[in-house]
Amino acid sequence: MTALVPLPVVLPLLGAALTLLLANRPWPQRAVSVGCLTTSLVVAVLLLVQAYRHGPLVVQIGAWPAPVGIVLVADQLAALMLVVSSAVTLCVLLYSIGQGQAEIGETAPVSIFHPTYLVLTAGVCNAFLAGDLFNLYVGFEMLLAASFVLITLNSTGPRIRTGSTYVVVNVLASMIFLISVGLIYAATGTLNLAQLTARLDALPDGVRLSLQLMLLVAFGIKAAVFPLSAWLPDSYPTAPAPVTAVFAGLLTKVGVYAIIRTQTLLFPGQQAGELLMVAAALTMVVGILGAVAQSDMKRLLSFTLVSHIGYMIFGVGLSTVAGLVGAIFYVVHHITIQTTLFLIAGLVEQRAGSTDLRRLGGLARLAPLLGVLFFVSAMNLAGIPPFSGFLGKLGLLQAGVAAGGPLPWTLVAVCTATSLLTLYVASRVWNIAFWRSPCQTVAPSAPLPALMVGATVALVVLGVGLTVVAGPLFEVTAGAATDLIERTPYVRAVLPGGAS
């Protein structure tokens, strides 16, 4: 079964090469892309089942033993992230295929999109499976290089401008990450995560804290944690709808995943816990206040994305099993819901010609299914019972109450207030865009493409399904959180002889 571990990385890379060879044959390209991502999803589910039943699965690339060789590790956290990311990237791919057929037909740059999208998927999977810091860096660079191409597809002035901002900020984050990797290697002589658990513990507190803060800054930029989040609301809204959706739903969560992995495995304890909780509170407040002030649906969703990153950082900052359980559950929920809402925004743009709330109205009557999809997803994001958003927030609030103390209690209050403001924002979009009388500027258009709607419906169902399977999902997240806090299952799986 360990032979399956590299497949989520290898399959998309092989698919990217094959789709390049099929550059002038759109339908074979699409078939290869869908086949690769479908197979990756099946493999990810098998890895999650194995990791849950038997513990982490480890593969040493090229038969070079750790810590010398490259190691891929599929523990419960990594496998769960693989399942969610594979499901989301598959749905977004189907949506983009539907959009290409409906909007720009055979003239679409499919020869660029499919190989790039598959490389992006491979980079995300590599980041989740990486067993050493340099391979984690490689995963980030793979997905960033692909994202630079995707965000400037069908280049227009605004897309080039916002794409440049995205490139500059993420290159800066990558440089900080690479410098951190170099310093960690200089201080410890290894980049293997399992071996670093012992060697970082032996460093002086000041050196260890400096390295921890450098990694937090690098991952904080990628995850859009305040005050490192200013780039995001201007970078995402002008990109094509499926690109924005996969960026918003998935790429920021790779940064959150990196924070969870490094803070629990390399820097356990509460040394940076208070800093993370303060950053979490500010991220929640600044993000949701920004959303309240917006009149464009895509920019509004971008600010809610920033705000809800704060929930996940709150769980990490608590440094408890309950906090991590809530954080991991919320990551899974938010990847699904945020991607869905951006896909719905793309459908709104397709139907009404704009996402500017001042030009929208009456969509509930013009497109009732679209209204239902938005309402269910928006209420899920706001955390209305019994949706998964409510369950995730409830888990975080209970973890905060259990931790006790002024800062956790403050975070509990901020979480509650932010949830109410998220409900206000979602209700405002619903009332303006869907419920009020139609605007004269909303012109009749052709029916929405079935594949775009079908992919969005699938994600809405997946989001609702998280509520149905919340019990088993909480069991998996609890197992993942326990392994993260204990560290020994991961270390023993990678280095059976022990870390030294």
Side-chain angles (χ1 to χ4, degrees):
M1 192 59 73
T2 55
L4 296 177
V5 176
L7 290 184
V9 182
V10 174
L11 283 175
L13 288 179
L14 291 176
L18 191 53
T19 51
L20 271 178
L21 296 175
L22 298 169
N24 297 318
R25 303 179 66 183
W27 279 107
Q29 268 196 330
R30 294 164 188 167
V32 170
S33 299
V34 173
C36 283
L37 294 188
T38 303
T39 308
S40 295
L41 175 58
V42 173
V43 170
V45 172
L46 293 175
L47 289 176
L48 178 59
V49 172
Q50 288 298 312
Y52 177 73
R53 290 179 176 173
H54 306 294
L57 287 82
V58 179
V59 166
Q60 298 167 345
I61 303 299
W64 288 86
V68 177
I70 296 174
V71 178
L72 297 179
V73 185
D75 62 352
Q76 292 186 65
L77 175 62
L80 182 60
M81 293 297 104
L82 286 177
V83 171
V84 181
S85 63
S86 298
V88 165
T89 51
L90 176 60
C91 289
V92 173
L93 175 66
L94 295 174
Y95 181 100
S96 65
I97 291 173
Q99 187 180 41
Q101 290 172 333
E103 288 187 344
I104 46 184
E106 300 303 323
T107 61
V110 288
S111 61
I112 298 173
F113 178 81
H114 286 273
T116 310
Y117 191 79
L118 290 172
V119 171
L120 176 88
T121 305
V124 170
C125 294
N126 191 53
F128 290 148
L129 291 171
D132 64 83
L133 283 177
F134 188 74
N135 199 25
L136 178 61
Y137 171 79
V138 171
F140 271 116
E141 292 310 295
M142 288 171 64
L143 69 89
L144 284 177
S147 67
F148 296 159
V149 177
L150 291 174
I151 204 169
T152 53
L153 274 181
N154 298 326
S155 300
T156 60
R159 283 182 184 173
I160 294 294
R161 180 182 62 79
T162 56
S164 300
T165 304
Y166 178 83
V167 169
V168 170
V169 171
N170 280 281
V171 166
L172 175 64
S174 293
M175 289 177 62
I176 296 173
F177 184 19
L178 187 58
I179 292 170
S180 305
V181 169
L183 292 175
I184 288 173
Y185 186 77
T188 63
T190 185
L191 294 177
N192 182 276
L193 292 174
Q195 195 170 37
L196 281 172
T197 58
R199 297 197 177 182
L200 281 172
D201 287 347
L203 292 179
D205 289 345
V207 175
R208 190 166 172 270
L209 180 60
S210 300
L211 297 173
Q212 182 180 12
L213 292 178
M214 288 187 68
L215 287 179
L216 275 178
V217 170
F219 299 144
I221 294 174
K222 295 177 184 297
V225 178
F226 184 84
L228 308 170
S229 58
W231 60 273
L232 191 147
D234 287 331
S235 299
Y236 283 179
T238 57
V243 174
T244 303
V246 77
F247 281 21
L250 195 53
L251 297 198
T252 50
K253 308 309 183 304
V254 180
V256 174
Y257 168 84
I259 291 175
I260 293 175
R261 178 67 74 191
T262 54
Q263 293 306 302
T264 55
L265 190 60
L266 305 185
F267 307 101
Q270 295 184 329
Q271 196 168 13
E274 292 186 355
L275 174 65
L276 286 172
M277 283 192 277
V278 170
L282 293 173
T283 303
M284 282 188 261
V285 172
V286 173
I288 200 61
L289 291 180
V292 169
Q294 299 307 309
S295 59
D296 182 87
M297 193 172 173
K298 286 184 178 178
R299 283 186 61 83
L300 182 149
L301 290 175
S302 295
F303 276 101
T304 62
L305 164 63
V306 172
S307 174
H308 285 237
I309 292 294
Y311 288 89
M312 306 160 208
I313 301 303
F314 171 36
V316 181
L318 288 174
S319 303
T320 62
V321 171
L324 285 174
V325 169
I328 296 170
F329 186 93
Y330 207 81
V331 169
V332 173
H333 148 80
H334 200 257
I335 287 175
T336 308
I337 297 305
Q338 197 72 41
T339 305
T340 307
L341 284 168
F342 272 103
L343 292 185
I344 293 172
L347 292 176
V348 169
E349 191 170 26
Q350 179 94 7
R351 182 66 181 83
S354 174
T355 54
D356 190 335
L357 295 177
R358 292 165 296 189
R359 300 178 59 191
L360 296 175
L363 285 175
R365 183 181 303 171
L366 295 172
L369 177 59
L370 188 54
V372 172
L373 295 178
F374 176 82
F375 184 80
V376 172
S377 301
M379 293 302 103
N380 202 340
L381 180 72
I384 298 299
F387 290 120
S388 55
F390 168 76
L391 298 174
K393 289 173 183 173
L394 181 62
L396 288 168
L397 294 178
Q398 289 177 334
V401 171
L407 199 49
W409 274 106
T410 302
L411 263 295
V412 169
V414 171
C415 281
T416 306
T418 305
S419 295
L420 294 175
L421 286 173
T422 304
L423 179 60
Y424 163 74
V425 168
S427 302
R428 186 163 71 91
V429 175
W430 167 259
N431 288 331
I432 294 175
F434 292 90
W435 199 246
R436 74 175 178 180
S437 300
C439 297
Q440 293 181 353
T441 53
V442 178
S445 64
L448 293 170
L451 196 52
M452 291 175 68
V453 176
T456 309
V457 169
L459 274 182
V460 172
V461 171
L462 178 61
V464 175
L466 292 180
T467 302
V468 179
V469 299
L473 182 57
F474 265 115
E475 286 186 19
V476 174
T477 58
T482 303
D483 287 352
L484 289 171
I485 292 293
E486 291 180 355
R487 299 199 295 173
T488 47
Y490 187 99
V491 175
R492 286 176 181 167
V494 177
L495 300 171
S500 60

